[in-house]
Amino acid sequence: MSEHHAAPTGITRWLFTTNHKDIGTLYLWFSFIMLLVGGSMAMVIRSELMYPGMQVVDPNFFNMMTTMHGLIMVFGAIMPAMVGLANWLIPMMIGAPDMALPRMNNWSFWILPAAAILLVAPMFIGGDFMSGQGPAFGWTFYEPLSGQYGNLAFFVFAVHLLGFSSIMGSINIIATILNMRAPGMTLMKMPMFVWTWLITAFLLIAVMPVLAGVVTMMLTDKYFGTSFFDAAGGGDPVMFQHIFWFFGHPEVYIMILPAFGVVSMIIPTFARKKLFGYASMVYATAAIAFLSFIVWAHHMFTVGMPVAGELYFMYATVMIAVPTAVKVFNWTATMWKGALTFEIPMLWAIAFVFMFTIGGFTGLMLGLTPVDFQYHDTYFVVAHFHYVLVTGSLFAIIAAFYYWVPKWTGNMYPPLLSKIHFWASLISVNVLFFPQHFIGLAGMPRRIPDYAVQFADWNYWSSIGGFVFGLSQILFLVIVIKTIKGGEKATDQVWESAEGLEWTIASPAPYHTFATPPEVK
Amino acid sequence: MSDVAGSYYLPEPSKWPVVGSIGLFLTTGGFAYALTSGVDGAMGNMAIMYVGFAIMAYMLFGWFGQVIDESEAGKYNTQVDTSFRMGMMWFIFSEVMFFAAFFGALFYARQLSGPWLDGEGNNAMTHALLWSDFKFEWPLLTTPGETSALGGAFAQPTGVIETWHVPLYNTIILLTSGLTVTWAHHALKKGERTQLIIGLFLTVALGFLFVYLQAEEYIEAYTQLNLKLSSGIYGSTFFMLTGFHGLHVTIGAIMLTVMLVRSIKGHFSEKHHFAFEAAAWYWHFVDVVWLGLFVVVYWL
């Protein structure tokens, strides 16, 4: 491409774009909107649970909130944010002119709003909002409960569309990484973020079709008379859980592996040392991905599996601790005796390492069959996966924003507001989720709008933490807008010891980068 | 076709992705509306879905047409070609995993949950309490209960499709079509245009013959054997696996038809014919899935 056109203007720029940076921006804004939508649902949940007894909403509406909160955060907020980062960063990191298949890239994005509408629309069917008929069966949509749901078809097709989007996006990412690297950029020279996304994309292509398969079975069970999940016809509702979690377990790594990549980029920059154990990081990521396929039934220990199955899934699960620990030790070793400074991205990255590790440890506890019988379906599980997904994935996404936004916009973030954002989020998120460990261990079940008074105190504090955390993300929105609009100008290098091709180009990054591939030594 | 660094073809902004999204949205939303708005098990209004289909067809023609024009204009260098190849390979891998879900369901029902319903392992009480006179066998002709959880009565089949009859013919047909498409490919690489066209024509004909026989088989199942989607887990796995396979054969045959038309028009060169190879890969993929189906659905 010799003609270097500037960015087109108007709405068609965003509708018709084939530019990886535009599409990355679309993904990131979409995910931010979904974060706020899903977050406001969490506020409804925490309002209801602030005191025992029925306070604010109907039980069905509460169930709809927990369901939609989970679905929107997983499929609408975290995953698209990671894809947005991939779109923005991978071509710049590997010295490619753009993604390998730019038109398909745009399609991957524009399917998402369609899927979101199908998912959310049934909430608005019915006389008034409170009696809306959205999905209310939990984000894991277990059969046979979900099969009773009147608007199941909308949900099923929303999942299908999300699957199309993810599969096409992943195909694009794999083709880009394998085919578009600049000369000299060998696989083992790729930045960790690129590596983690390569493996994540593989996981997505492997498991999203399985999810599509299982929702198709739900659809035909409901509307076409099949009996995959109906024991009366020789099927088995537990089979749903097996197929779902064969997708679901890799899915949780889909949400965390790119976060690992982000943190592995940020920590070396602010420790002013090379990433400790780069090769072992790559192998650990691959090992985690492999193990993710063979541990799914640890989500269903209490469902009544044969003992041999329980034991196997326990042992396989605990093995994941090994490659995960390799990563945590490597991050720690990278910081060891480094010339550390604590810029905003570094603060988020260090918070990630601490709190993701807490989530990892509780995961280890949940992975042990005998104790899982106690923890299963309690708030302990809720606390566990929110430590992994909020203080893990979401914190890494926010860290990535602060780290790369000077490159994207040419502006530094507002320093004081950003510091307030970090400390407010860090403290409130722990007030929000840490007490849920206690009430979970004490036996409070998840997904209920009312509870015994013995859980009242910690729920109260959890709700307070929730509201502050929610408000902190409104502050984040302010920061994002302020940074886009202006601020201290960033240099091209931005961070003094940041390494990688993205820091060799101007800030803000020009609309087209690397029309001629750079030479990597 | 130049292989100079920096000549990777980056397309201009394109309307087709958004058109495709609107088409997908109306197709799926319209289908969901039809399914949820019907009264007494009937489908509701499907007009929105058909509009969606029309938009999808318009998008496919427009988008692929544009890509074909760009390809014929020589805008794609070998690096672009590699991107397309990777795209197709990983797409086929995703299809494999889609089928894996249904094969997995079949395996699980036959090997695990079916015997458990019959009391195997530590499930004696399940058997005693739920359907104590249920005997598990495969093919499962008599379902444990008589009506489904949602209330419909199961169709109890009198028999299943005979393995060494139409399914065997279909196996031979598909394997032969795999040979003819390979013959066509070799002809293309040697520049033998006539052989290419004949080979492709035979492949397409065999493909549609397969679909026709499969349809006949379904009619036999529904009208003579009372084997239906609603025949419990046997009918469910049988029709969903063979049905999705049949759908994929149809898609593959349509792809090959496009390749046939393009071959007649003089598209493709000895070295530059990715679209043909992609369609051929897809065809081999449906071939391999069929072999799996033949063994575990029809035979064992």
Side-chain angles (χ1 to χ4, degrees):
Chain A
M1 291 294 283
S2 46
E3 69 275 31
H4 268 199
H5 19 237
T9 48
I11 180 77
T12 53
R13 167 182 177 181
W14 303 104
L15 287 174
F16 299 162
T17 182
T18 48
N19 181 286
H20 73 100
K21 300 187 183 79
D22 281 354
I23 295 170
T25 305
L26 285 170
Y27 267 111
L28 289 173
W29 271 115
F30 177 82
S31 77
F32 204 160
I33 293 164
M34 287 293 125
L35 181 79
L36 297 177
V37 172
S40 39
M41 291 171 173
M43 295 302 108
V44 174
I45 296 170
R46 281 321 319 168
S47 306
E48 178 58 53
L49 294 177
M50 197 162 177
Y51 299 104
M54 297 306 298
Q55 311 291 332
V56 190
V57 292
D58 301 336
N60 183 64
F61 191 83
F62 181 88
N63 287 346
M64 200 159 83
M65 287 296 108
T66 55
T67 305
M68 295 300 289
H69 166 74
L71 289 166
I72 287 178
M73 288 306 197
V74 167
F75 293 107
I78 302 292
M79 288 170 69
M82 294 298 187
V83 183
L85 293 175
N87 257 295
W88 251 103
L89 297 171
I90 289 175
M92 299 202 301
M93 285 177 165
I94 62 173
D98 207 295
M99 296 292 280
L101 304 158
R103 280 175 291 219
M104 195 171 84
N105 198 18
N106 192 32
W107 201 21
S108 309
F109 172 75
W110 278 108
I111 288 174
L112 284 181
I117 294 170
L118 286 184
L119 189 64
V120 172
M123 286 178 63
F124 297 93
I125 303 175
D128 58 291
F129 187 59
M130 278 289 173
S131 61
Q133 294 161 31
F137 36 68
W139 87 272
T140 51
F141 48 97
Y142 276 11
E143 287 274 6
L145 177 63
S146 53
Q148 318 287 318
Y149 166 56
N151 292 311
L152 187 72
F154 286 96
F155 169 79
V156 165
F157 291 127
V159 173
H160 277 142
L161 293 192
L162 291 165
F164 283 146
S165 164
S166 290
I167 291 167
M168 285 195 285
S170 304
I171 287 173
N172 217 338
I173 287 169
I174 293 189
T176 305
I177 297 173
L178 294 183
N179 190 36
M180 305 286 284
R181 298 193 309 281
M185 175 68 79
T186 58
L187 285 175
M188 291 307 277
K189 276 187 193 162
M190 291 196 311
M192 264 319 288
F193 180 74
V194 181
W195 254 116
T196 51
W197 244 115
L198 178 64
I199 291 165
T200 302
F202 168 74
L203 288 180
L204 274 165
I205 300 177
V207 300
M208 288 311 275
V210 176
L211 176 68
V214 79
V215 295
T216 305
M217 293 177 209
M218 293 171 73
L219 185 83
T220 57
D221 268 17
K222 171 92 181 159
Y223 299 102
F224 299 99
T226 60
S227 38
F228 286 103
F229 308 129
D230 184 356
D236 185 358
V238 176
M239 178 162 80
F240 170 85
Q241 297 184 26
H242 279 290
I243 308 177
F244 174 81
W245 285 114
F246 182 83
F247 147 81
H249 199 75
E251 168 68 20
V252 305
Y253 294 121
I254 285 161
M255 290 188 279
I256 200 67
L257 290 184
F260 289 167
V262 166
V263 171
S264 303
M265 305 297 291
I266 293 175
I267 288 180
T269 295
F270 299 105
R272 289 162 184 78
K273 279 173 66 191
K274 284 229 176 292
L275 180 67
F276 183 88
Y278 170 86
S280 65
M281 279 304 216
V282 172
Y283 298 135
T285 310
I288 291 172
F290 169 74
L291 289 172
S292 76
F293 285 106
I294 56 169
V295 296
W296 73 87
H298 66 215
H299 294 269
M300 33 194 291
F301 280 141
T302 59
V303 88
M305 278 186 294
V307 174
E310 307 257 349
L311 288 175
Y312 160 74
F313 282 109
M314 172 171 75
Y315 293 137
T317 301
V318 176
M319 281 205 301
I320 301 176
V322 177
T324 312
V326 167
K327 288 185 159 289
V328 175
F329 283 125
N330 279 351
W331 292 321
T332 315
T334 307
M335 288 188 273
W336 178 253
K337 290 190 175 173
L340 289 174
T341 50
F342 299 96
E343 282 85 348
I344 304 292
M346 184 61 163
L347 291 175
W348 289 94
I350 294 174
F352 171 96
V353 174
F354 271 93
M355 300 210 288
F356 169 77
T357 306
I358 293 176
F361 278 135
T362 52
L364 210 51
M365 294 168 71
L366 287 162
L368 303 172
T369 311
V371 289
D372 181 72
F373 275 67
Q374 161 83 8
Y375 308 151
H376 186 88
D377 241 343
T378 68
Y379 259 82
F380 190 79
V381 179
V382 177
H384 156 69
F385 66 72
H386 281 93
Y387 264 86
V388 175
L389 286 176
V390 178
T391 62
S393 302
L394 182 63
F395 270 36
I397 290 163
I398 297 174
F401 166 81
Y402 283 113
Y403 187 59
W404 280 291
V405 78
K407 182 55 65 185
W408 300 338
T409 64
N411 304 323
M412 296 304 285
Y413 45 78
L416 180 65
L417 283 183
S418 305
K419 222 167 238 170
I420 296 171
H421 175 218
F422 172 73
W423 287 106
S425 298
L426 179 75
I427 294 166
S428 62
V429 85
N430 281 294
V431 176
L432 165 58
F433 293 122
F434 210 80
Q436 295 183 0
H437 291 117
F438 310 145
I439 52 179
L441 290 177
M444 177 167 159
R446 62 193 285 211
R447 292 171 175 159
I448 47 139
D450 189 10
Y451 49 84
V453 284
Q454 57 164 326
F455 306 123
D457 290 351
W458 286 124
N459 265 304
Y460 175 80
W461 284 108
S462 184
S463 290
I464 297 291
F467 300 143
V468 178
F469 187 69
L471 283 175
S472 310
Q473 303 328 305
I474 303 292
L475 177 62
F476 185 37
L477 179 64
V478 173
I479 293 169
V480 172
I481 293 170
K482 269 181 94 88
T483 313
I484 292 171
K485 288 214 158 155
E488 192 198 327
K489 292 292 153 215
T491 60
D492 292 354
Q493 174 64 29
V494 185
W495 315 110
E496 64 172 12
S497 51
E499 286 185 22
L501 289 174
E502 75 267 35
W503 309 111
T504 64
I505 57 180
S507 299
Y511 196 58
H512 292 289
T513 36
F514 300 124
T516 309
E519 192 75 36
V520 180
K521 298 195 178 62
Chain B
M1 278 205 300
S2 90
D3 285 4
V4 188
S7 65
Y8 193 89
Y9 178 70
L10 295 181
E12 295 291 308
S14 166
K15 70 174 177 181
W16 296 119
V18 172
V19 174
S21 291
I22 295 169
L24 270 180
F25 175 65
L26 293 179
T27 307
T28 54
F31 192 21
Y33 174 74
L35 285 171
T36 52
S37 65
V39 187
D40 295 334
M43 291 284 253
N45 191 335
M46 305 222 275
I48 303 170
M49 186 176 78
Y50 292 130
V51 172
F53 272 135
I55 296 175
M56 286 296 290
Y58 168 64
M59 180 277 287
L60 289 171
F61 271 99
W63 194 338
F64 278 113
Q66 188 181 351
V67 171
I68 290 168
D69 288 344
E70 286 167 3
S71 172
E72 291 298 308
K75 289 182 177 171
Y76 296 160
N77 63 10
T78 48
Q79 198 185 5
V80 177
D81 204 59
T82 307
S83 292
F84 285 151
R85 277 161 202 280
M86 286 180 176
M88 192 66 195
M89 280 191 273
W90 288 102
F91 169 65
I92 290 176
F93 175 62
S94 78
E95 293 270 45
V96 169
M97 293 307 294
F98 181 77
F99 276 98
F102 287 89
F103 276 106
L106 173 65
F107 170 81
Y108 185 86
R110 278 182 69 165
Q111 301 300 322
L112 298 170
S113 67
W116 290 342
L117 279 172
D118 202 355
E120 197 183 83
N122 57 1
N123 297 282
M125 286 312 290
T126 308
H127 179 69
L129 289 173
L130 286 176
W131 296 282
S132 54
D133 48 2
F134 172 65
K135 277 271 158 274
F136 181 71
E137 53 177 2
W138 197 265
L140 186 69
L141 297 182
T142 311
T143 52
E146 280 166 12
T147 52
S148 78
L150 295 171
F154 292 118
Q156 310 289 353
T158 53
V160 297
I161 299 292
E162 202 192 320
T163 311
W164 305 107
H165 188 57
V166 175
L168 177 67
Y169 304 156
N170 265 344
T171 308
I172 295 166
I173 288 168
L174 267 197
L175 288 178
T176 313
S177 75
L179 287 179
T180 54
V181 79
T182 307
W183 176 46
H185 189 203
H186 281 284
L188 174 55
K189 284 205 279 195
K190 281 185 288 186
E192 306 274 2
R193 184 70 42 169
T194 319
Q195 284 185 33
L196 164 68
I197 291 168
I198 296 171
L200 263 179
F201 177 78
L202 286 175
T203 313
V204 171
L206 288 166
F208 283 116
L209 178 63
F210 173 94
V211 175
Y212 170 75
L213 288 176
Q214 194 73 4
E216 287 284 308
E217 185 183 290
Y218 280 10
I219 291 167
E220 184 195 339
Y222 261 75
T223 55
Q224 289 167 31
L225 300 170
N226 201 29
L227 174 60
K228 301 179 176 175
L229 271 171
S230 57
S231 294
I233 193 67
Y234 184 82
S236 306
T237 51
F238 173 80
F239 282 108
M240 294 303 282
L241 274 163
T242 57
F244 269 115
H245 176 262
L247 178 70
H248 282 76
V249 174
T250 311
I251 294 169
I254 292 171
M255 285 161 66
L256 287 168
T257 308
V258 175
M259 298 310 134
L260 177 61
V261 173
R262 290 186 65 188
S263 302
I264 294 168
K265 278 187 172 177
H267 291 192
F268 308 132
S269 69
E270 283 99 88
K271 291 235 169 68
H272 195 71
H273 50 257
F274 158 71
F276 176 91
E277 288 191 26
W281 291 345
Y282 198 78
W283 196 248
H284 290 308
F285 151 70
V286 297
D287 223 358
V288 171
V289 172
W290 175 259
L291 290 178
L293 287 181
F294 183 68
V295 173
V296 301
V297 174
Y298 289 100
W299 184 3
L300 295 180

